[in-house]
Amino acid sequence: MSTTEVTPHLTEPITFWQSTNGKKVVMAVTGVMMFGFVVGHMLGNLQMFEAPEHINAYGHFLHNLGELLWIERGVLLLAIALHIIATIQLALRSKAARPVGYSRRQAINSSYASRTMYWSGPIVLAFIIFHLLQFTAGYIHPQATFVQGDVYQNVVSGFQVWWVSVWYIFAMCLLGLHLSHGLWSMFQSVGLAHPRLSPYLLNAARAVALVIVLGYISIPISVLLGFIK
Amino acid sequence: MKLTLKIWRQKNRNEKGVFVKYPMNDVDPEMSMLECLDVLNESLILRGEVPVAFEHDCREGICGSCGFVINGVAHGPERGTTACQLSMRHFKDGDELTLEPWRAKAFPLVKDLVVNRRALDHIIEAGGYVSVSTGQAPEGNTLPVGKEIADQSMDAAACIGCGACVAACPNASAALFTGAKITHLGVLPQGEPERERRALSMVAQMNAEAFGNCTSIGECTGVCPKEIPLEVIANMNRDYVCASFKRREDLPTPVAPVLQHT
Amino acid sequence: MKLDARIPSGPIQEAWAKACFDMKLVNPANKRKHSVIVVGSGLAGGAAAASLGELGYNVKCFCFQDSPRRAHSIAAQGGINAAKNYPNDGESVFRLFYDTVKGGDFRAREANVYRLAQISGKIIDQCVAQGVPFAREYGGSLANRSFGGAQVSRTFYARGQTGQQLLLGAYQALERQVHAGSVTMIPRTEMLDLIVVDGQARGIVTRSLITGEFNVHIADAVILASGGYSNVYYLSTNAKGSNVTASWRAYKRGALFANPCFTQIHPTCIPVSGDYQSKLTLMSESLRNDGRIWVPKKKGDPRPPNEIPEEERDYYLERRYPSFGNLVPRDVASRNAKAMCDEGYGVGKSGLGVYLDFSESIARLGEKTVRERYGNLFDMYQRITDENPYKTPMRIYPAIHYTMGGLWVDYQLQSNIPGLFVLGEANFSDHGANRLGASALMQGLSDGYFIIPYTVGNYLASNKFAKVDESNPAVQEAVTAVKTKIDKLLSIKGNRTVDSFHRELGKIVWDYCGMARTAEGLEVAIQKIRALRDEYWQNVTVPGSGDDLNESLEKAGRVADFFELAELMCIDALDRNESCGGHFREEYQTPDGEAQRDDERYSYVAAWGYNGPDAPPELIKEPLTFEYVHPSQRSYK
């Protein structure tokens, strides 16, 4: 039988990356990194429920990290880039794997979240770009004013614009959806499964995702309801 | 009862396929899906038309020959059941059933509802075995295997190789099939020595064929007639990751994928 | 013609070892120069192809399915016997041998059966090493159960899917050899003729089921492992594709067909539900371990089973066979079920069924235990019948299941054509007139893994092989014959489908040459079969063409062979004026209705030779001698 040659080990990392399984591992690992940021960012944001000085000081602290901040940003950017590149490559491969589609399809076992990963991901990405332009760079400020350094005031005035809040809440819900499948899927991708543990894993992932969503959207909701002024 | 079968007809790979509707007036609810097709084919032959080609053999749900997509679900609406054991009593009078072949690039179409699933054989050929030759085996009870392990192995080994997992996967991935064999052999002490090499070579072959990737979506296990659990995919990934981080001299060489043969 | 079974002289215990030592060996360097064809990829064929590949022969393996893993061995549920005596309950090689000879109603060859019993243990070892997930005890040792009427627990199993797991073991070993390059697997291909050159089997003519292309494959030896012919009955538990064509074409090239009338009826199948029925579904015989078989005492009792009180039920097997009860051998259980239904006690819509009741076991063991043991079978039953067997008794009826007859082979599994070997269900050798449960898997694997690697080597080392190519007249003749037949079938363009003929043929064979036979009936059957065959060749219609996937055409060729086989079965049944095992002639029964053998006149293998289309076949007898197990009236009372 004819065989296709594979060059031995010098190319091992390349082979790993080229395999669909390898790319999924990369997606899982980069996913964990981004998840770490999501958790940290949420914890930071929740300081909105304390006095304005707290979060302003926190913002100040972050800005003064200097190189560390840029390293963190670099790592995150790399993670995002790898996550996206792997996704695109795998999506193209999947598309090619079924050149003729079904006339009729019915999902019987998959969650809505898992089927919409290709949508929830890019929309969340688009939101992040908007979000950075609004709160980090201050390029877009639908609110009346943007004061560099006054995080508290910027958030409050930002979220008082109704559609900013709605867009934020919508994006966070999508993030939650993305995480509810992604957090579980990454265990599958790296092969951490146990017959007794796995059934709980999916529920645990959903619970964590829910906590994240609630944590984030509590802020615009509180602003809109006037709890935070 | 009355049913309409809307069936994908395609003479061969190179010709265009179309759906053709066949009204059926006298379907007995006790029939199996395949017997319903038999009845249709008998009438087509007598009318001088070419009968619908569909794959089938044992009709007991174990050989893995049969299978097509019924109303958007591989093997039809009944869980844990192959098309041959799907009883028509699951449908209602007047229903229209859409029958389509497994659709995947790695499963080139042969005719109507029949596809070529040799890619699955290639994955086994790459390493889905214990390398033991006939005649030299030690006494069967030499290596004890705990009941839990034997059961876990058997759960995975129950795979019938029908390809429904690939058909149902939105990415046309063969991860459940490959993972099932890797798990079946990998958890047993007899399969342990080759475990990592097996994962490397089977995964390499799986990727050489035109299958998509796994997104842990779980449609595969939903349509699997043997309800093979999704954990087998995690087991495959674990073995693959562990194997990938070791230096080895004996990297696998995948065989030419199905698409190069046809 | 005088048949030489080549049984080694001396004590039976040493026969196989002696035979092995006496066999010539092929030099390792020469092995790859020898080509071997294996037709069929089930337990026997798959195991043979894998083992011969391991030895270094150049093997080509053929199957009609799309993958070797789909061979019908996969459907065997219950288990595989082996004389391991793990449970310490009195099992031994001799007992397995004894039970198999007795179970076969003294119509099997002692030496073959003894070898089978000797090898049985090695099969388990081999399969365990391959990673077959046999059922285990908590301590990690292999689990055993009693099965199909055996009084010792010698059956190894993998849930209700033993055949599947053993076949996958053989399939994986086969794929390993495919990867190593020693076996070429050629699926979706049907053998349509045997090529015999100068008296030696030298190859086969095949047709691709995808392209319709005819091909000639030349080799030094041909191994047929193409299974049994139960599908002659149309409704059987065999896979739809199972057929006799490979064996039959070999028969027409001179191979002898032995004991064609020895067919086995399996007692626990799901009853027929309608005319559209395409096949019968078997449920493992292990169900009889815990289920009790009964019919109402009142004929045509219309009450649902749960409303029939205990005292109005006839547990007829327990009544008639107090010591074996529900665990009597298959032929006895089947015949009794038929007798009950014929007398009007049958249950279900058609009246062709008896109850298999688990209520007592569920009460005694609990539903959980019963579910653990038979859950998958109960689910299958419910899926097909829409009745819940935990709540209401199953309905069962016997169905044709296995054929003990097959091509005649000697001790080395070689037919009377040198170079043509026949393995597994396709040969006749080990089960006599009735096969015991869990013995088919044992025989297939024993033939494939442990016997053929020796005997083929012996043949190859002892013979010279002239070069044969496609221009050889014998090859040309075979190819032309095959093409002519296919063209003929396509050109008739009559008014009836292949299936309608097959159904009608099956009904004739079932009615007259099924569970009970009479001389008168068999003569009627022969006339009916001939008439129907004539009509077939005038009036069958095969749609489509010969150059693509055309299932009707495949079936048409197979049914044509079934017609001829059916006639031979009736001739054989008519010639055997005795009852034995699965062959029950109503004229020959004991006063209480059991099979009455005639050892004086019929203790032989009836091997039939083909004499051309218009002449009756020639009967050649291989006398059977019993030195170790003395023929007695089988009694399970």
Side-chain angles (χ1 to χ4, degrees):
Chain A
M1 177 149 274
S2 57
T3 53
T4 47
E5 281 303 317
V6 174
T7 2
H9 35 243
L10 280 180
T11 57
E12 267 173 40
I14 298 175
T15 315
F16 185 74
W17 167 252
Q18 278 172 344
S19 75
T20 58
N21 312 51
K23 281 200 216 304
K24 288 298 288 185
V25 172
V26 170
M27 284 179 69
V29 172
T30 53
V32 172
M33 291 157 79
M34 291 187 280
F35 175 66
F37 171 80
V38 164
V39 172
H41 189 58
M42 180 187 75
L43 293 176
N45 285 4
L46 288 178
Q47 297 177 72
M48 282 298 291
F49 290 101
E50 297 185 31
E53 299 79 52
H54 271 102
I55 193 151
N56 284 351
Y58 175 64
H60 194 71
F61 162 75
L62 288 179
H63 270 274
N64 289 343
L65 280 176
E67 286 94 39
L68 269 181
L69 179 67
W70 282 105
I71 289 172
E72 192 224 321
R73 283 174 170 169
V75 169
L76 268 179
L77 274 176
L78 185 68
I80 292 170
L82 284 174
H83 201 81
I84 293 173
I85 292 169
T87 307
I88 292 173
Q89 289 181 337
L90 289 175
L92 290 175
R93 188 183 160 112
S94 293
K95 200 166 153 43
R98 178 161 294 136
V100 184
Y102 291 104
S103 75
R104 203 174 151 181
R105 262 206 97 93
Q106 193 193 334
I108 57 163
N109 199 41
S110 51
S111 60
Y112 180 75
S114 69
R115 292 195 302 273
T116 49
M117 294 295 272
Y118 287 132
W119 296 105
S120 53
I123 295 174
V124 169
L125 177 69
F127 166 78
I128 291 170
I129 293 168
F130 172 83
H131 188 70
L132 288 173
L133 290 177
Q134 182 183 13
F135 287 116
T136 308
Y139 281 139
I140 306 175
H141 39 96
Q143 70 268 45
T145 52
F146 181 84
V147 186
Q148 190 74 41
D150 191 352
V151 180
Y152 190 88
Q153 203 45 53
N154 287 338
V155 170
V156 172
S157 60
F159 282 144
Q160 275 165 347
V161 182
W162 69 270
W163 61 263
V164 170
S165 284
V166 169
W167 171 218
Y168 184 93
I169 293 169
F170 171 69
M172 286 308 106
C173 289
L174 285 185
L175 175 68
L177 217 52
H178 200 83
L179 286 176
S180 74
H181 179 68
L183 283 178
W184 175 77
S185 178
M186 62 184 146
F187 283 94
Q188 279 284 115
S189 297
V190 298
L192 293 172
H194 191 276
R196 267 197 298 279
L197 227 54
S198 302
Y200 302 109
L201 221 48
L202 183 57
N203 288 332
R206 285 177 179 164
V208 171
L210 185 67
V211 168
I212 301 260
V213 173
L214 292 178
Y216 274 108
I217 66 173
S218 64
I219 296 163
I221 289 177
S222 301
V223 171
L224 287 179
L225 294 178
F227 296 141
I228 299 178
K229 286 182 245 184
Chain B
M1 61 185 187
K2 287 187 181 183
L3 284 178
T4 304
L5 299 184
K6 184 178 156 199
I7 303 176
W8 182 259
R9 301 302 308 263
Q10 185 171 355
K11 197 169 179 330
N12 57 46
R13 259 179 97 191
N14 303 321
E15 287 186 32
K16 234 173 100 63
V18 287
F19 279 106
V20 180
K21 283 190 185 182
Y22 299 99
M24 298 197 57
N25 293 325
D26 201 12
V27 177
D28 190 313
E30 298 291 310
M31 279 180 183
S32 72
M33 184 72 233
L34 300 195
E35 283 167 346
C36 186
L37 285 179
D38 288 341
V39 170
L40 170 66
N41 277 347
E42 288 285 287
S43 69
L44 289 179
I45 294 170
L46 291 176
R47 293 208 305 254
E49 293 176 40
V50 177
V52 179
F54 64 95
E55 199 125 38
H56 63 105
D57 202 22
C58 79
R59 299 206 179 188
E60 293 178 21
I62 191 78
C63 75
S65 294
C66 69
F68 36 81
V69 173
I70 304 166
N71 284 350
V73 182
H75 287 305
E78 183 76 352
R79 288 272 183 123
T81 304
T82 51
C84 62
Q85 294 213 303
L86 176 67
S87 159
M88 298 309 283
R89 72 176 81 90
H90 295 294
F91 301 106
K92 289 195 302 288
D93 190 38
D95 277 358
E96 179 178 285
L97 309 188
T98 309
L99 310 187
E100 296 179 73
W102 293 163
R103 296 198 191 274
K105 192 177 180 191
F107 289 168
L109 189 121
V110 176
K111 186 177 179 179
D112 298 341
L113 301 175
V114 179
V115 297
N116 175 350
R117 288 168 293 191
R118 289 289 280 164
L120 299 183
D121 286 333
H122 285 177
I123 294 175
I124 301 296
E125 188 192 323
Y129 39 75
V130 175
S131 297
V132 55
S133 290
T134 311
Q136 60 188 32
E139 212 286 327
N141 264 344
T142 309
L143 271 178
V145 180
K147 190 171 184 306
E148 285 92 359
I149 297 291
D151 285 347
Q152 195 195 346
S153 175
M154 183 63 213
D155 286 342
C159 169
I160 59 174
C162 62
C165 46
V166 177
C169 175
N171 313 309
S173 164
L176 194 73
F177 172 84
T178 314
K181 189 49 67 190
I182 287 175
T183 304
H184 157 209
L185 296 173
V187 300
L188 290 174
Q190 287 83 3
E192 174 63 30
E194 282 177 288
R195 183 173 174 172
E196 291 186 349
R197 187 178 147 72
R198 177 182 309 118
L200 271 187
S201 35
M202 290 182 73
V203 165
Q205 187 65 42
M206 179 181 83
N207 283 309
E209 306 286 347
F211 293 113
N213 67 299
C214 173
T215 49
S216 314
I217 200 163
E219 283 297 323
C220 50
T221 179
V223 298
C224 176
K226 297 293 162 189
E227 298 176 308
I228 291 179
L230 219 49
E231 280 95 58
V232 300
I233 299 179
N235 292 343
M236 164 179 74
N237 288 334
R238 180 179 56 230
D239 286 358
Y240 180 70
V241 171
C242 292
S244 294
F245 287 98
K246 283 186 191 157
R247 281 185 82 79
R248 49 199 326 132
E249 303 296 325
D250 55 349
L251 273 186
T253 48
V255 302
V258 161
L259 292 174
Q260 285 180 25
H261 290 292
T262 43
Chain C
M1 195 193 311
K2 178 114 173 59
L3 289 175
D4 177 10
R6 291 198 282 174
I7 299 165
S9 55
I12 201 168
Q13 289 82 353
E14 275 121 55
W16 177 235
K18 182 170 183 297
C20 287
F21 184 73
D22 289 342
M23 282 189 226
K24 289 192 182 165
L25 301 175
V26 180
N27 179 323
N30 285 339
K31 280 187 177 141
R32 69 189 157 79
K33 295 181 193 154
H34 285 295
S35 51
V36 180
I37 284 171
V38 180
V39 181
S41 63
L43 284 181
S51 307
L52 293 170
E54 286 161 13
L55 289 173
Y57 296 108
N58 183 358
V59 181
K60 274 186 193 170
C61 182
F62 297 82
C63 68
F64 70 79
Q65 299 92 341
D66 70 325
S67 160
R69 69 180 292 153
R70 312 220 190 274
H72 195 58
S73 308
I74 204 159
Q77 298 169 352
I80 176 167
N81 286 336
K84 284 279 198 189
N85 194 26
Y86 288 153
N88 197 26
D89 57 358
E91 170 68 330
S92 65
V93 167
F94 198 89
R95 186 175 297 281
L96 177 55
F97 157 70
Y98 176 90
D99 285 356
T100 307
V101 171
K102 180 187 169 203
D105 220 357
F106 307 96
R107 291 294 173 262
R109 201 187 274 151
E110 272 192 333
N112 284 50
V113 179
Y114 196 87
R115 172 178 64 187
L116 180 65
Q118 277 177 313
I119 290 175
S120 63
K122 282 178 78 173
I123 298 172
I124 302 300
D125 300 340
Q126 178 65 29
C127 294
V128 167
Q130 286 173 345
V132 171
F134 282 117
R136 300 273 176 166
E137 305 290 355
Y138 280 103
S141 58
L142 291 156
N144 291 118
R145 64 180 171 199
S146 158
F147 186 82
Q151 290 188 312
V152 291
S153 293
R154 60 161 73 105
T155 303
F156 295 75
Y157 60 99
R159 294 208 184 132
Q161 288 141 269
T162 318
Q164 181 201 24
Q165 293 311 314
L166 295 175
L167 181 69
L168 292 182
Y171 159 72
Q172 287 161 202
L174 175 67
E175 290 294 344
R176 175 170 163 247
Q177 293 310 308
V178 171
H179 196 62
S182 52
V183 176
T184 308
M185 189 65 221
I186 307 174
R188 291 201 199 266
T189 302
E190 190 167 39
M191 165 183 163
L192 289 183
D193 212 344
L194 178 73
I195 295 169
V196 182
V197 180
D198 299 331
Q200 283 178 318
R202 290 303 305 273
I204 59 173
V205 182
T206 61
R207 177 173 178 271
S208 157
L209 301 183
I210 299 296
T211 63
E213 198 183 336
F214 295 98
N215 277 303
V216 171
H217 299 272
I218 301 295
D220 297 336
V222 176
I223 297 172
L224 295 190
S226 47
Y229 49 86
S230 298
N231 271 347
V232 67
Y233 292 88
Y234 187 75
L235 284 181
S236 82
T237 66
N238 275 194
K240 292 296 286 175
S242 300
N243 66 82
V244 76
T245 291
S247 301
W248 197 252
R249 305 293 167 97
Y251 165 72
K252 291 177 94 169
R253 290 280 168 201
L256 300 176
F257 208 107
N259 299 338
C261 78
F262 287 173
T263 55
Q264 184 173 67
I265 318 284
H266 193 286
T268 50
C269 300
I270 301 177
V272 175
S273 63
D275 296 335
Y276 49 80
Q277 188 109 10
S278 61
K279 79 153 280 172
L280 298 171
T281 304
L282 178 148
M283 290 178 302
S284 169
E285 200 171 11
S286 59
L287 289 171
R288 286 199 281 146
N289 288 355
D290 287 308
R292 297 179 71 196
I293 294 174
W294 62 275
V295 291
K297 280 187 177 161
K298 202 169 88 194
K299 283 186 189 179
D301 197 328
R303 287 174 293 178
N306 293 335
E307 289 173 20
I308 300 177
E310 196 62 27
E311 60 278 8
E312 290 179 42
R313 299 175 175 189
D314 179 11
Y315 295 89
Y316 58 90
L317 287 178
E318 296 170 25
R319 172 169 57 81
R320 301 186 61 182
Y321 307 95
S323 72
F324 277 68
N326 294 301
L327 292 174
V328 291
R330 290 174 173 179
D331 54 338
V332 179
S334 300
R335 216 153 37 232
N336 276 284
K338 180 179 188 293
M340 286 296 153
C341 295
D342 287 351
E343 286 168 30
Y345 297 102
V347 299
K349 249 185 287 177
S350 61
L352 294 176
V354 296
Y355 290 124
L356 176 62
D357 197 337
F358 285 86
S359 53
E360 195 209 77
S361 307
I362 291 174
R364 179 165 43 91
L365 304 164
E367 187 172 319
K368 185 167 172 282
T369 309
V370 171
R371 191 181 296 278
E372 269 171 18
R373 288 188 192 167
Y374 310 110
N376 58 339
L377 297 169
F378 279 33
D379 291 349
M380 185 169 81
Y381 182 83
Q382 185 160 16
R383 213 152 39 223
I384 291 174
T385 63
D386 208 21
E387 291 171 15
N388 179 355
Y390 294 100
K391 301 269 177 277
T392 179
M394 289 182 171
R395 284 173 297 112
I396 56 166
Y397 195 67
I400 191 81
H401 162 62
Y402 186 88
T403 53
M404 283 73 70
L407 292 178
W408 183 88
V409 290
D410 61 19
Y411 189 68
Q412 304 213 0
L413 302 183
Q414 182 177 255
S415 72
N416 57 311
I417 302 177
L420 177 68
F421 294 81
V422 190
L423 314 185
E425 192 181 350
N427 76 21
F428 87 103
S429 72
D430 293 359
H431 306 298
N434 176 52
R435 180 175 66 73
L436 290 182
S439 285
L441 303 182
M442 174 170 72
Q443 187 217 343
L445 289 179
S446 155
D447 289 0
Y449 284 135
F450 295 108
I451 300 175
I452 202 70
Y454 290 86
T455 60
V456 158
N458 180 44
Y459 172 76
L460 294 173
S462 331
N463 286 279
K464 293 217 171 349
F465 301 96
K467 194 170 158 33
V468 173
D469 59 29
E470 295 200 15
S471 62
N472 189 298
V475 177
Q476 291 294 323
E477 192 265 327
V479 174
T480 314
V482 164
K483 283 185 180 166
T484 312
K485 188 164 180 180
I486 295 276
D487 289 343
K488 169 78 180 151
L489 285 167
L490 282 167
S491 69
I492 299 169
K493 302 243 174 285
N495 297 317
R496 280 184 68 180
T497 62
V498 176
D499 272 356
S500 82
F501 278 105
H502 194 176
R503 245 176 239 278
E504 192 176 336
L505 170 69
K507 179 112 178 43
I508 298 173
V509 190
W510 176 251
D511 286 346
Y512 297 103
C513 196
M515 263 190 284
R517 300 140 184 203
T518 62
E520 202 183 341
L522 289 164
E523 272 159 9
V524 172
I526 291 172
Q527 295 313 316
K528 287 191 169 196
I529 291 166
R530 283 184 187 153
L532 190 63
R533 187 179 66 204
D534 290 343
E535 192 197 338
Y536 184 74
W537 285 103
Q538 304 290 323
N539 197 24
V540 73
T541 182
V542 181
S545 72
D547 52 15
D548 75 335
L549 178 66
N550 185 345
E551 217 202 343
S552 303
L553 180 60
E554 296 165 26
K555 282 196 274 193
R558 294 169 189 166
V559 172
D561 292 333
F562 279 136
F563 269 112
E564 298 177 12
L565 167 76
E567 189 178 330
L568 187 69
M569 283 169 68
C570 294
I571 292 174
D572 184 43
L574 189 58
D575 194 71
R576 190 171 280 278
N577 290 310
E578 63 162 351
S579 293
C580 58
H583 171 63
F584 189 77
R585 283 279 298 271
E586 288 181 2
E587 305 95 312
Y588 307 98
Q589 49 182 308
T590 60
D592 48 359
E594 301 301 330
Q596 176 79 60
R597 279 198 331 268
D598 182 348
D599 292 330
E600 287 285 301
R601 293 162 63 210
Y602 292 98
S603 186
Y604 61 73
V605 176
W608 298 89
Y610 183 66
N611 263 344
D614 303 317
E618 181 191 3
L619 171 63
I620 297 154
K621 297 174 185 173
E622 181 204 334
L624 291 171
T625 49
F626 294 90
E627 290 176 46
Y628 296 86
V629 186
H630 292 290
S632 56
Q633 169 71 37
R634 280 195 308 162
S635 172
Y636 295 96
K637 287 195 186 287

